[in-house]
Structure formats: structure tokens, C-alpha cells
Amino acid sequence: MLPQNTQPPAPAPDQFDFMLKDQPKPPGRFGTLLSDVPKPAKILLLVVGALFIIVILYALFFGGKKTNTDQLTSVMASAQEISRVSSMAQLQAKDTTTKDLAATTATVLSSQKQELRSYLISKKVKVDTKKLAARLNKSTDAKLATALQNNNYDQTYFSYLKTSLINYQASLNAANKGASLKIQAILKADYTSIQTLLTASQLK
């Protein structure tokens, strides 16, 4: 009699393959929401999302770098008025050093105003002449006229000039905040020039 085979029968091929294979993962919440959305619509959503991110990044990095026309116009108006008064002082002052300081101041401020004007024109910005005249102060003329009669013209002009230049520097600083790199360079150079004027012995 032949011995009986005690070995268990071999399992049929692929009988337990389902245990070894990776089971499909259930779709996430986002996948469930988009499962019924057509493919073209999904692509459109991705494009819109990408554009939204680009807009946000642009606003964060470049949104504050704009040309503040009103502030620059205000700076120009101040420069124009200081230049006007200094030109008048150049003619009316008796002391030669006062005339020289007034002439230098008038030239510097007029040049700064013109440079800012050229910048705005290059940006296709129209400069409002009425806003440029906003700083015109006829009371300054009256004070200088009275000082001329009282023989204290120079000191009156020096007092006006020092206060006006300090205020002008403050307006340069205000316009510099958030401005483009090009206009910042212009305003910083203007500030330095005004600081040099303020070192004049008559203004100390």
C-alpha cells in the first residue's frame, strides 16, 4: 500500500493576492468635492487660483511702491515758494552774504522743483498749476517789507528760511515713504542738498 500524502494542497494561484495588494485609498474631502467636477472646470479652478496667488504676491511686494502725485506736488509747491521768496531776498537784502545765500537757495529749490516736475511728466502725470501755487504766502512778503523798513531784513529772512527748509525736509521724508526706488533717490539727494543749506552760518 502506498503511503498517503499528508502535505496540504497548494493554494490556488492568486487566491490570497487581494491581501497583498494595496487597497485603494478613500478619496479625501477635497477629492470628494471635486469628484463630480468636469476636468475642464478643474483646470479653470487651478488657473484662477494661481492668478489669485500672483495678485496677492504682487500687492505685497509692489503695492506700496507707487508715485504719490499729491505728495510730490506738495513738495514742488513748497520748493517753488521758498525759491520765490529767496529770489526776492536776493534783490532786497543789503548784505552780500545774505544775497549769496538767497541766490543759492533760489537756484537749488528751483532745480529740485523742476526735477520732480520732469519726473512726473515722464510718468504721464499732469502737474496742476493751481496746486503748485497752494503754498504762496503773501504774509511772508509783508513781513519782509516791514523788516526792510526796520533795518532787520536779513535776520527776518534767515528766520523764515531756516523754518521753511526744515519743514521742506519733513515733506521730502513724507513723500519718500512708499515711493518707487527712482523717486526715492531723487528725494534723498534733495534732502542732502537742503541739509547742506542748513549748515550755512547765518542759519545756525
Side-chain angles (χ1 to χ4, degrees):
M1 177 181 291
L2 295 175
Q4 294 181 353
N5 189 359
T6 59
Q7 293 182 353
D14 301 331
Q15 184 176 356
F16 300 103
D17 282 357
F18 73 94
M19 299 178 62
L20 301 177
K21 292 181 179 178
D22 293 334
Q23 298 297 316
K25 296 181 180 180
R29 181 179 299 178
F30 187 72
T32 303
L33 292 174
L34 297 180
S35 59
D36 296 330
V37 178
K39 186 175 181 180
K42 292 180 181 179
I43 296 175
L44 180 61
L45 287 174
L46 290 175
V47 172
V48 172
L51 289 175
F52 182 72
I53 293 174
I54 292 173
V55 170
I56 291 177
L57 292 176
Y58 183 86
L60 288 175
F61 288 98
F62 302 102
K65 304 300 182 181
K66 297 180 180 179
T67 301
N68 192 326
T69 304
D70 290 338
Q71 283 186 314
L72 293 181
T73 302
S74 178
V75 170
M76 292 167 60
S78 296
Q80 178 174 282
E81 176 63 3
I82 297 172
S83 179
R84 183 190 72 83
V85 174
S86 295
S87 295
M88 183 173 61
Q90 181 185 0
L91 298 174
Q92 296 178 344
K94 296 180 180 180
D95 186 77
T96 303
T97 57
T98 303
K99 287 179 176 290
D100 291 343
L101 177 61
T104 301
T105 301
T107 300
V108 170
L109 273 295
S110 178
S111 176
Q112 291 186 4
K113 172 204 164 186
Q114 187 57 44
E115 186 175 20
L116 290 175
R117 187 187 188 98
S118 298
Y119 173 81
L120 290 177
I121 291 175
S122 71
K123 296 297 181 181
K124 310 299 181 183
V125 177
K126 185 178 180 180
V127 180
D128 191 339
T129 54
K130 291 183 179 180
K131 289 184 178 181
L132 285 180
R135 299 289 182 179
L136 179 64
N137 190 353
K138 287 297 184 179
S139 65
T140 302
D141 299 27
K143 289 179 181 179
L144 289 174
T146 301
L148 186 61
Q149 295 175 355
N150 296 333
N151 294 320
N152 63 339
Y153 187 93
D154 291 9
Q155 289 303 321
T156 302
Y157 170 67
F158 295 152
S159 177
Y160 158 81
L161 184 59
K162 183 175 182 178
T163 301
S164 297
L165 291 180
I166 291 174
N167 291 337
Y168 180 68
Q169 280 188 317
S171 67
L172 289 173
N173 274 332
N176 185 65
K177 295 178 181 178
S180 65
L181 293 178
K182 184 174 182 179
I183 196 63
Q184 282 183 355
I186 294 174
L187 295 174
K188 287 178 181 178
D190 291 349
Y191 187 97
T192 301
S193 297
I194 300 305
Q195 191 62 41
T196 301
L197 287 175
L198 285 169
T199 60
S201 58
Q202 298 95 322
L203 303 182
K204 292 182 179 179

